[in-house]
Amino acid sequence: MLAANYRITQAGALLMKQNFAAIVLGGTGQVGGAAVAELLAIPECREVVMVTRKPIAARSRVRNVVLDTGADDFAGRTAALAREVSSQGPVSAVSCVGVGSGSARWSEEALQRLELGVVGAFARGCRDAGIAQFCLLSAAGSSARSRFRYARVMGMKEDTVRNIGFARLAIFRPGIIVGNADTLAWVGWLGSIVPGSFGNIDQRILGRSIAAEVALHHREVGQVIYENAAMKKLVARVQG
């Protein structure tokens, strides 16, 4: 089961890796935590390697590797880690780094240091180690040409990772994430009446869709962009 009342269908099971691992950056955040939980709920997931700046509590099938994400050698250390994990079998990479509603308090320079600098270094390290599949958390409306600062930085982040050249790149562009402590009640209400890609999506669905992409689409190539409807459709493929 992927989680309570969440099962891989027979068709989905035929596509799944027999054994895989995931290296996750941003797994201590709320969306990252949801993705980690869903990955761990898949029996075929042998290990989740969480790259963090500080130690976290021990969990079954979770390996915590503490790295200085701001260091000049972060990409190199990530590559060394990814090679070691890959020696045990197939591995995918996931970045759930995101500031979310707190972005208004960040300068654009600070946002770029995190979203382009840290995420870009992580992605380069994973690619240098030969990892083929990368899952990237972004946001609805992201474009490097956007007039809005957050959407612009998210678009720049997408371009940064896109240019690294993964065989399989999955970009997740959620709208308003509900079930997230950072989402104010009135924002969630507004999202309920906004249609399409900018409307609400449950945090659990977002986490499940990331896990499903890792488990089911590792053999595919090219880029895919998941907005709200596509994430719900992906989850419906594997949810019993």
Side-chain angles (χ1 to χ4, degrees):
M1 297 174 68
L2 282 177
N5 301 317
Y6 188 59
R7 297 185 297 276
I8 292 290
T9 62
Q10 184 176 9
L14 293 175
L15 295 172
M16 185 175 293
K17 299 175 181 176
Q18 292 303 304
N19 180 284
F20 69 93
I23 300 178
V24 181
L25 182 69
T28 58
Q30 294 188 70
V31 172
V36 168
E38 298 297 343
L39 285 164
L40 291 173
I42 302 173
E44 290 79 6
C45 180
R46 69 177 184 272
E47 180 181 41
V48 173
V49 180
M50 292 179 62
V51 175
T52 63
R53 291 176 296 173
K54 298 178 181 179
I56 61 174
R59 296 167 64 184
S60 176
R61 288 190 293 137
V62 172
R63 183 174 14 147
N64 180 210
V65 178
V66 177
L67 296 177
D68 181 356
T69 57
D72 292 340
D73 64 349
F74 177 52
R77 289 183 177 272
T78 298
L81 172 64
R83 290 188 187 98
E84 186 271 318
V85 179
S86 297
S87 70
Q88 305 300 313
V91 57
S92 300
V94 178
S95 171
C96 288
V97 170
V99 180
S101 62
S103 63
R105 298 188 295 271
W106 289 53
S107 68
E108 182 160 344
E109 181 182 5
L111 280 172
Q112 289 192 26
R113 281 199 302 269
L114 174 65
E115 302 285 5
L116 280 64
V118 173
V119 175
F122 175 71
R124 285 192 299 276
C126 291
R127 183 67 189 92
D128 288 347
I131 290 179
Q133 183 188 40
F134 195 92
C135 297
L136 177 68
L137 177 64
S138 186
S142 296
S143 169
R145 297 180 297 277
S146 176
R147 296 183 296 110
F148 300 101
R149 181 181 63 175
Y150 185 69
R152 183 167 61 250
V153 173
M154 292 298 100
M156 293 168 67
K157 175 172 71 170
E158 290 183 8
D159 288 345
T160 296
V161 176
R162 187 178 291 114
N163 290 335
I164 289 171
F166 287 95
R168 172 72 175 184
L169 174 61
I171 298 173
F172 293 80
R173 291 180 180 171
I176 295 172
I177 304 172
V178 295
N180 186 303
D182 293 331
T183 302
L184 300 175
W186 71 267
V187 176
W189 173 84
L190 179 64
S192 68
I193 62 175
V194 174
S197 60
F198 289 90
N200 285 348
I201 184 163
D202 191 281
Q203 181 171 274
R204 294 168 297 179
I205 298 297
L206 176 52
R208 288 173 183 175
S209 66
I210 292 171
E213 163 65 25
V214 171
L216 301 179
H217 297 292
H218 57 283
R219 296 186 183 92
E220 298 180 18
V221 298
Q223 175 186 292
V224 60
I225 294 176
Y226 292 107
E227 296 185 338
N228 286 357
M231 284 185 269
K232 293 172 183 176
K233 184 177 180 180
L234 175 59
V235 168
R237 287 185 56 204
V238 296
Q239 186 170 6

